[in-house]
Amino acid sequence: MNNMTNPINDSCKFNAAIIGCGAIHALHADTVMHSPLAVLSSVADIDPARAKASSEKYNCNYFTDYTKVLEDENIDVIHICTPHYLHADMAIAAMEHGKHVILEKPMAIKLPDAEKLIYTSDATGKQLGICFQNRYNTSSVKAKSFLTSGRGGKLLGARAFVTWYRDEEYYTGSGWRGTWEREGGGVLINQSIHTLDLLQWFMGDINRIKGSVDTRALKKVIEVEDTAEAAIQFESGATALFYATNCYCANAPVMIEIVTENAVLKIEDGLTIKYNNGDCESYSEVDRSTGAKAYWGSSHKTLIEDFYSRLAEGTKFPLDGSEGIKALQMLHAIYSSSKSGEYIEL
Ligand SMILES: NC(=O)c1ccc[n+]([C@@H]2O[C@H](COP(=O)([O-])OP(=O)(O)OC[C@H]3O[C@@H](n4cnc5c(N)ncnc54)[C@H](O)[C@@H]3O)[C@@H](O)[C@H]2O)c1
């Protein structure tokens, strides 16, 4: 580590540390740096050059052994931005060391590990927030509010499309993507997990799922699926059709359409609500200034700020482990269904 002390450290603020200084960590670090409630105290990465570069950019301590930030009694909150296979163990260890955790998606690769995360958060009393930032997009918030208001009447159905592009270097250059052991899957667990989460958030509890996965491109490079589809039946009687691929020529905006008795909602880089009587409302996404890749959604900042606000207020962060596990249950049902050819009950 270096011994740099952060000059803006303020005893009233939460001391934060980030584990994993790769692509996504800058969104976490930039948000903490500008937060009135938090200060970035340390970063950790097994790659010394990455850890050092981040510490110089954000004027904080750095470690190459993440257990050092767990042992630092001054750290209140740990952001986990590491590869998927490390999420559960790191987050459980952090909570057991008395830290609150903001955990990148997926919360775990395997469902028993996700359940252990929920148990540990309850047992330690430490907050666990899962980065499904797209729930904070303007279009998602407006759609959820419309659906819960009852203005749409009965939910009839939905369709969702994630059509993105990932090249060979995306997988081979990472050391963890494209493998079952380290990534835990492909387009389902990494890219379209956000869309699965939104579908269940909008549409409610799921009854059963039938789906399939395939590897259409880069079969010699990756073990995992790059394409998936599913039919999702909800308790309400509505059905959703879902398609996701990393084999498109571009990273197109995610499209989610929801049909209700009184209106059709379409999210595609903004939200349009077309009422059966001809009226129409539209909402564009705000805050494109975070530097986030647009197709990721631009709401990391909002989610992280909400997490710190809840900590400061002493209230529960809503996107916790019990919410984070739902999309994981959906994608594991799709993997199982793809093997068995049967509907999987949830
Ligand atoms: N919420 C989103 O929309 C979104 C977007 C992109 C990435 N992510 C998630 O963020 C996580 C990281 O993704 P990324 O694209 O930044 O990956 P990355 O490979 O660019 O970065 C991961 C970093 O973790 C470090 N690391 C690996 N093992 C470590 C260890 N034992 N201790 C400390 N550091 C270690 C690596 O050296 C690397 O710097 C993944 O879970 C990914 O799914 C989420």
Side-chain angles (χ1 to χ4, degrees):
M1 67 164 284
N2 66 4
N3 289 319
M4 197 182 290
T5 50
N6 195 320
I8 59 161
N9 200 339
D10 174 338
S11 59
C12 298
K13 293 182 174 184
F14 294 102
N15 279 312
I18 300 175
I19 305 176
C21 301
I24 200 66
H25 103 289
L27 281 179
H28 289 252
D30 287 338
T31 304
V32 172
M33 289 300 286
H34 292 103
S35 169
L37 296 173
V39 61
L40 185 59
S41 179
S42 301
V43 292
D45 199 297
I46 40 162
D47 180 332
R50 284 194 177 184
K52 188 163 183 286
S54 178
S55 94
E56 284 170 0
K57 180 172 178 191
Y58 296 108
N59 191 28
C60 63
N61 302 315
Y62 76 90
F63 301 89
T64 51
D65 174 358
Y66 80 93
T67 63
K68 299 284 186 239
V69 299
L70 302 187
E71 286 157 11
D72 183 343
E73 287 180 1
N74 294 316
I75 303 287
D76 306 298
V77 179
I78 296 192
H79 298 235
I80 297 179
C81 300
T82 50
H84 299 174
Y85 70 101
L86 296 168
H87 287 188
D89 285 354
M90 284 182 168
I92 288 166
M95 289 186 282
E96 287 176 346
H97 279 79
K99 320 297 185 195
H100 303 289
V101 171
I102 301 182
L103 178 56
E104 267 301 346
K105 49 56 76 172
M107 63 189 289
I109 287 180
K110 299 200 168 100
L111 287 168
D113 288 336
E115 280 155 14
K116 201 167 165 200
L117 277 163
I118 295 167
Y119 169 83
T120 308
S121 176
D122 289 344
T124 58
K126 293 295 150 188
Q127 298 238 29
L128 171 66
I130 312 299
C131 286
F132 281 143
Q133 76 278 359
N134 291 324
R135 286 200 195 184
Y136 287 80
N137 294 351
T138 304
S139 47
S140 304
V141 172
K142 295 282 183 195
K144 177 74 176 171
S145 149
F146 175 85
L147 294 168
T148 48
S149 75
R151 280 193 292 151
K154 203 173 165 222
L155 277 171
L156 300 180
R159 60 189 176 118
F161 291 90
V162 182
T163 48
W164 287 359
Y165 171 71
R166 293 293 181 273
D167 63 9
E168 193 169 329
E169 164 63 18
Y170 171 79
Y171 296 103
T172 55
S174 79
W176 61 276
R177 297 191 188 97
T179 65
W180 285 105
E181 197 188 334
R182 295 183 158 216
E183 190 177 14
V187 69
L188 278 176
I189 203 165
N190 198 334
Q191 286 77 32
S192 61
I193 190 169
H194 290 289
T195 306
L196 292 173
D197 176 61
L198 287 179
L199 271 177
Q200 67 78 28
W201 194 51
F202 293 143
M203 303 291 289
D205 291 341
I206 293 168
N207 186 359
R208 58 186 198 154
I209 298 184
K210 184 168 187 194
S212 64
V213 299
D214 191 18
T215 312
R216 302 268 165 85
L218 305 176
K219 195 146 191 147
K220 291 190 182 137
V221 178
I222 61 172
E223 299 169 357
V224 299
E225 85 288 349
D226 57 25
T227 303
E229 60 75 32
I232 304 164
Q233 292 184 359
F234 295 88
E235 299 279 357
S236 65
T239 299
L241 303 177
F242 165 83
Y243 177 81
T245 186
N246 279 342
C247 306
Y248 192 48
C249 59
N251 292 308
V254 172
M255 194 283 268
I256 301 175
E257 183 179 77
I258 300 167
V259 181
T260 73
E261 265 178 330
N262 304 330
V264 177
L265 290 74
K266 190 168 185 186
I267 294 176
E268 193 170 19
D269 229 357
L271 168 69
T272 307
I273 305 176
K274 283 188 182 161
Y275 293 87
N276 294 352
N277 67 5
D279 290 350
C280 187
E281 291 168 21
S282 53
Y283 304 92
S284 57
E285 282 304 327
V286 290
D287 194 5
R288 289 254 170 236
S289 60
T290 57
K293 290 182 191 170
Y295 59 87
W296 283 352
S298 54
S299 300
H300 258 96
K301 182 171 174 277
T302 322
L303 180 148
I304 293 166
E305 283 171 350
D306 189 28
F307 187 87
Y308 282 101
S309 296
R310 306 279 178 160
L311 285 187
E313 290 162 9
T315 56
K316 184 119 171 75
F317 181 69
L319 229 169
D320 61 4
S322 64
E323 287 296 301
I325 199 170
K326 292 176 181 175
L328 203 62
Q329 289 166 332
M330 293 170 78
L331 65 91
H332 278 289
I334 297 172
Y335 289 135
S336 299
S337 173
S338 189
K339 282 192 188 125
S340 68
E342 304 291 335
Y343 266 100
I344 304 294
E345 313 278 332
L346 255 67

